Amino acid sequence: MKENEQKIIISTGTLYIEKQVLKIRNRTINIGNIDNMDNYPLKRHPLTYGVTSWIKGLITLFVIVAIFHKSMSSLVVNLLFIIYLLILILLIYYNYNEHKKRFYELAIYTTRSEFMIQSNDRDFLYKLEDTIHNAMNQKYSSYTINIDKQEIKNNNNTNNTVNNNIKANNINNSTIGNNSVVNNTNNINYKINYKKIYNELKILEENCNENLDKIKEACENKDKPKLTKYLKGLKKETINLIKTLGLTALTKLIENLL
């Protein structure tokens, strides 16, 4: 991160999307200025957290007892070591419980800032990422995102909701040939999350017999024209498989670019 950039971590509260503007705490982001988004797991709480400090404290306790053992009764010495042993047991118990927890992070990158939204529900963060992508293509979109309750409320009016449903159904109901897909030019400014697309292509590759090397190469090179061209050549069975596997980024890409 550059020195003039800011990194903001958010794990609680409510976010709002209003007319291409994402409101995070007291900050606002024009959705069009988002360079990329990334969804990944955070490191687990270490099992050895605080153990080094505990050992240093134990050594210090030994030194103190060695110096003042003549003025200290054996009862006091034993009590100190018992208390210190209990501290270790509590520390191990705390570390074990924290280590079992899993947390994930959705990173939103802009030119000047990084916004890290954290949650213990990765599906919620995927839905949030998809919501932001949807808002990029809706001029008057409105959403309320409650991180604490892991809820995303669509505040768009009935007309917008109907239009979105029609748009979502178009790809499902369109006649798709074995080697062609209907071209949709209404969303040419759709921003592509190339990293997520590439990861989903690898999943798709494991579940189908079609050669996806050229598509993956175009994705790695962030070559949007070639990526669109090669996706048009996917077989109908492969496109149906994308939906069946729940590959949301690829599905959105087909909806918005093809």
Side-chain angles (χ1 to χ4, degrees):
M1 183 188 295
K2 297 178 181 178
E3 293 182 358
N4 61 343
E5 290 181 339
Q6 296 182 2
K7 182 175 181 179
I8 300 173
I9 299 175
I10 302 162
S11 58
T12 185
T14 303
L15 314 179
Y16 301 93
I17 298 178
E18 291 286 345
K19 299 178 181 178
Q20 296 288 299
V21 175
L22 173 61
K23 300 177 183 179
I24 299 180
R25 292 181 181 170
N26 59 341
R27 301 283 303 260
T28 58
I29 307 172
N30 188 319
I31 291 178
N33 292 334
I34 294 177
D35 295 327
N36 193 20
M37 291 187 286
D38 196 9
N39 198 324
Y40 50 84
L42 294 173
K43 291 183 179 179
R44 290 178 184 264
H45 180 88
L47 286 170
T48 57
Y49 174 79
V51 173
T52 302
S53 298
W54 184 89
I55 294 174
K56 290 179 180 178
L58 181 62
I59 294 172
T60 303
L61 181 60
F62 272 119
V63 172
I64 292 174
V65 171
I67 295 173
F68 299 102
H69 71 280
K70 293 182 179 180
S71 60
M72 298 172 66
S73 67
S74 59
L75 178 62
V76 172
V77 173
N78 290 336
L79 184 60
L80 285 174
F81 280 107
I82 289 173
I83 292 174
Y84 211 70
L85 180 61
L86 287 174
I87 292 174
L88 176 61
I89 294 173
L90 291 174
L91 180 61
I92 293 173
Y93 178 76
Y94 170 79
N95 285 344
Y96 175 73
N97 284 325
E98 291 299 310
H99 181 77
K100 289 192 300 181
K101 299 176 181 177
R102 291 307 312 263
F103 291 93
Y104 306 90
E105 189 168 81
L106 173 63
I108 302 175
Y109 302 102
T110 67
T111 304
R112 298 289 181 183
S113 303
E114 294 182 10
F115 297 89
M116 309 299 178
I117 302 173
Q118 297 179 353
S119 174
N120 62 353
D121 187 344
R122 195 171 195 179
D123 287 338
F124 166 72
L125 294 181
Y126 276 131
K127 290 177 182 177
L128 175 55
E129 184 177 359
D130 288 340
T131 298
I132 294 174
H133 277 301
N134 288 339
M136 290 177 177
N137 301 303
Q138 300 173 15
K139 187 175 181 180
Y140 300 105
S141 59
S142 177
Y143 298 91
T144 301
I145 300 104
N146 190 315
I147 298 176
D148 302 292
K149 295 182 179 180
Q150 298 171 346
E151 293 179 349
I152 300 176
K153 182 180 179 182
N154 188 334
N155 301 320
N156 297 307
N157 60 39
T158 304
N159 289 334
N160 282 342
T161 302
V162 172
N163 289 336
N164 291 336
N165 289 336
I166 293 173
K167 176 184 173 184
N169 289 331
N170 281 340
I171 189 169
N172 295 323
N173 298 327
S174 296
T175 301
I176 304 175
N178 287 339
N179 295 300
S180 65
V181 183
V182 177
N183 189 24
N184 182 354
T185 59
N186 294 327
N187 295 293
I188 57 175
N189 294 321
Y190 176 76
K191 287 202 170 184
I192 300 174
N193 187 334
Y194 289 98
K195 183 176 181 179
K196 188 174 180 180
I197 292 292
Y198 185 81
N199 290 335
E200 291 191 355
L201 283 170
K202 290 196 293 184
I203 296 173
L204 178 62
E205 189 175 40
E206 294 174 356
N207 292 275
C208 74
N209 297 322
E210 193 162 357
N211 190 333
L212 305 179
D213 290 342
K214 288 185 177 181
I215 303 179
K216 290 196 299 178
E217 183 180 355
C219 192
E220 282 186 301
N221 296 330
K222 296 184 178 181
D223 191 329
K224 184 175 177 180
K226 284 188 178 180
L227 181 61
T228 305
K229 174 184 175 182
Y230 295 139
L231 281 173
K232 288 181 181 180
L234 287 177
K235 297 178 182 178
K236 180 180 178 180
E237 293 78 8
T238 304
I239 292 176
N240 290 333
L241 182 60
I242 289 172
K243 301 171 189 175
T244 303
L245 293 173
L247 304 178
T248 56
L250 275 171
T251 301
K252 292 292 181 184
L253 180 59
I254 292 173
E255 288 179 5
N256 288 279
L257 293 181
L258 302 181

